Amino acid sequence: MNLKSGWIKRLWETAKVWLRLILNWRFLVCFGIGWMITNGWSYILLGIGVFWEVEWMIWLAGGYLAVIWFPFSPEKIITIAIAIFFAHKLFPAHTGALVAQIKMTARKGKKKLLKRIKKMMKQLNLKYRLVIFDLDGTLLDTLEDLYVSVNYALEQTGFPLRTKDEVRSFVGNGAHNLIMLALPEGTAEETRNEVYEIFAAHYAAHCFDQTGPYDGIFELLTGLHEAKVLLAVVSNKDDAAVKSLCDRYFNGLLDIAVGRRDGVRKKPAPDTVNEVLELLQVDRSDAVYVGDMDVDLETAKNAELPCISVTWGFRDPNFLHKHGAKIMVCSPDELLQQLKR
């Protein structure tokens, strides 16, 4: 069975995150601490009972140990929870991906999300004048429309179709790069250009079919805009598509939206970010970059800006962690928390 398909792949990816945490000495040390806190006393009590021949003490400790040896005892769950807590506090760089994965799984439910955002908006004291966002995978879920348009272009030109997960992995460095990766290696440049033109025309006509903001994003941007925070979008998507999407979904909320243009280096070069800073007259110390991919981490670094990585987009927490993400947020309200002083 193909591990790249459906829930099997998701299960496998989640299992790898857990195994990466558990199968290292740091977690084992923390597990030992947790075990001592939850279970160590019973072994000590048992030893005292046996040595001094105190029968009730033997029965008490022995009975407790019999319970905790049961595969799904509450004590085992508590021990693991304590171990994760200590591991995250003592070795945060090695547990960030797992903690982000847990938060991402737990923080579901649109009504609760919007309630948290609304509550946090009442006490805004933000540390940035400008927030620069990536677009695809950060503000908008564009994957379905990109996937359909890529496969339409491939089908029209006789090339094998791609899975949605493959298209997800190709996104991030502009439409030309997306098509190049979607085509078989070694495809002639003339053919690549032909496929790109078919893709571009189809996507221009269908980019609104399934695309929309992630839950809570519109409310987040509205609150930040009302708080007089400057908001910008910097994307590797073609400039016309960026402006069209931003006008449709975030009309009046953004101060500037910039996409890929001829003659201007695309991300991870800092050119478009520098352009936004200059046009809005904001110092780097008053700005932050928010994105969902490794290219966003590199862009922020090259522009000398702090970067907040979101985990609801096109790359998972483990991938972001491996590429140097220091701050990962799993929902718009958690992003808002990171923007506050």
Side-chain angles (χ1 to χ4, degrees):
M1 189 174 291
N2 187 2
L3 287 179
K4 290 185 178 181
S5 61
W7 65 271
I8 296 179
K9 182 184 178 184
R10 290 194 297 272
L11 181 64
W12 172 240
E13 291 298 326
T14 302
K16 285 197 295 185
V17 173
W18 280 93
L19 288 171
R20 187 171 57 83
L21 172 75
I22 293 172
L23 298 180
N24 68 77
W25 66 268
R26 300 173 186 83
F27 182 80
L28 293 176
V29 168
C30 294
F31 187 85
I33 296 172
W35 179 85
M36 288 299 296
I37 292 172
T38 55
N39 303 324
W41 69 269
S42 57
Y43 287 94
I44 295 171
L45 199 63
L46 182 63
I48 293 173
V50 171
F51 184 79
W52 292 104
E53 297 182 353
V54 181
E55 188 173 350
W56 68 266
M57 202 174 286
I58 296 173
W59 279 107
L60 177 64
Y64 177 79
L65 288 171
V67 171
I68 68 172
W69 285 337
F70 188 77
F72 302 108
S73 67
E75 286 77 7
K76 278 192 172 66
I77 297 173
I78 293 171
T79 301
I80 292 172
I82 292 173
I84 292 173
F85 172 80
F86 277 110
H88 188 50
K89 293 299 180 183
L90 296 174
F91 312 107
H94 295 273
T95 60
L98 176 63
V99 172
Q101 193 79 49
I102 293 170
K103 286 182 179 178
M104 189 166 57
T105 303
R107 286 179 173 250
K108 289 184 177 179
K110 186 174 181 179
K111 288 184 179 179
K112 290 182 179 179
L113 170 63
L114 298 182
K115 186 177 179 180
R116 290 194 300 265
I117 293 175
K118 186 176 180 180
K119 182 179 179 181
M120 293 174 68
M121 285 297 179
K122 294 179 180 179
Q123 299 177 333
L124 277 184
N125 183 18
L126 301 173
K127 54 187 173 183
Y128 301 106
R129 284 187 57 217
L130 168 64
V131 183
I132 303 174
F133 293 94
D134 172 51
L135 187 61
D136 294 48
T138 301
L139 298 181
L140 292 178
D141 184 359
T142 57
L143 181 60
E144 185 67 29
D145 288 334
L146 288 169
Y147 163 69
V148 170
S149 291
V150 166
N151 276 337
Y152 175 83
L154 293 175
E155 186 177 35
Q156 292 298 306
T157 49
F159 287 103
L161 303 186
R162 293 293 192 168
T163 67
K164 191 177 296 185
D165 281 339
E166 285 176 323
V167 173
R168 181 195 300 272
S169 70
F170 300 155
V171 173
N173 285 294
H176 284 281
N177 190 70
L178 168 61
I179 295 303
M180 182 183 73
L181 293 173
L183 288 167
E185 188 175 351
T187 301
E189 183 177 357
E190 183 179 350
T191 304
R192 290 204 308 266
N193 291 336
E194 178 189 353
V195 176
Y196 170 78
E197 292 300 330
I198 296 172
F199 161 82
H202 187 273
Y203 185 67
H206 296 276
C207 64
F208 301 124
D209 290 359
Q210 302 294 325
T211 288
Y214 290 100
D215 287 348
I217 286 296
F218 183 81
E219 291 76 11
L220 171 69
L221 296 184
T222 300
L224 292 173
H225 176 73
E226 291 175 353
K228 309 301 182 186
V229 177
L230 296 172
L231 303 173
V233 163
V234 170
S235 173
N236 276 342
K237 187 187 288 289
D238 288 348
D239 191 62
V242 169
K243 288 178 167 53
S244 178
L245 287 165
C246 288
D247 286 344
R248 183 181 182 96
Y249 295 108
F250 310 119
N251 187 30
L253 297 179
L254 301 173
D255 294 278
I256 188 171
V258 177
R260 187 202 66 81
R261 291 159 294 158
D262 293 336
V264 180
R265 292 188 300 170
K266 65 181 183 179
K267 299 185 299 183
D271 300 35
T272 45
V273 173
N274 291 338
E275 179 185 353
V276 166
L277 291 169
E278 185 176 347
L279 288 172
L280 296 179
Q281 297 183 331
V282 176
D283 189 82
R284 294 179 197 280
S285 61
D286 292 325
V288 64
Y289 189 94
V290 180
D292 70 306
M293 304 185 69
D294 48 327
V295 69
D296 296 312
L297 288 162
E298 294 176 42
T299 301
K301 181 179 179 181
N302 292 337
E304 300 178 9
L305 293 181
C307 185
I308 301 174
S309 298
V310 305
T311 60
W312 58 75
F314 293 164
R315 299 291 184 267
D316 62 36
N318 191 30
F319 179 93
L320 293 169
H321 170 73
K322 286 180 178 178
H323 286 80
K326 302 299 182 185
I327 302 173
M328 288 188 282
V329 296
C330 307
S331 60
D333 64 313
E334 193 172 343
L335 171 57
L336 182 57
Q337 188 67 47
Q338 288 293 331
L339 299 175
K340 294 171 69 175
R341 292 188 186 277

